[in-house]
Amino acid sequence: MGRTVLPFTQELYREEESWKAFRRALRKEDRELFDELFAAARYHTSACTCSGRAVPFEAILMSILVEERRAARELSRQVEDLSQRLDGLERQNAEGQPGCPEGS
């Protein structure tokens, strides 16, 4: 008889449970980050299920990486937007056009 395969959500919770001692050893603010990582994996449960990986932790890590990459991309966009706004204000000031009043 073949091995019974657990639903991925159960595999995910089992994996998270196996890291409980590690999580307890983290500082409080790091525990929150740790929890966010597994929350990212739960967000991609259906993709993890379809991955068919023999080692479920591989799919969990890939889910976490996808969410981390999404966050990095969003931060890069925000930095670029702010940089463009700053460049525009600097050009306005260089041309003698009123920008933001000083002290604002």
Side-chain angles (χ1 to χ4, degrees):
M1 233 183 236
R3 176 178 167 260
T4 301
V5 178
L6 291 175
F8 192 83
T9 51
Q10 289 180 1
E11 290 282 0
L12 178 59
Y13 287 117
R14 181 190 290 181
E15 188 66 42
E16 189 172 4
E17 185 67 21
S18 76
W19 287 90
K20 189 163 54 171
F22 176 83
R23 183 187 179 280
R24 257 194 320 264
L26 293 171
R27 292 183 306 243
K28 182 180 180 185
E29 62 270 15
D30 292 336
R31 272 185 247 136
E32 292 170 1
L33 294 172
F34 178 87
D35 292 342
E36 288 175 14
L37 293 175
F38 272 96
R42 283 190 293 277
Y43 182 74
H44 293 283
T45 301
S46 61
C48 290
T49 300
C50 293
S51 73
R53 306 302 294 187
V55 180
F57 195 63
E58 292 174 350
I60 292 168
L61 286 177
M62 190 56 67
S63 296
I64 290 168
L65 287 171
V66 166
E67 287 304 307
E68 290 301 306
R69 181 66 192 122
R70 181 190 320 276
R73 183 187 304 163
E74 179 58 30
L75 288 172
S76 291
R77 284 184 186 145
Q78 289 177 11
V79 167
E80 183 61 31
D81 289 347
L82 289 172
S83 178
Q84 288 176 2
R85 288 174 60 193
L86 182 59
D87 288 346
L89 289 174
E90 288 173 346
R91 276 193 302 277
Q92 284 179 353
N93 286 338
E95 296 170 356
Q97 296 177 359
C100 292
E102 285 195 30
S104 311

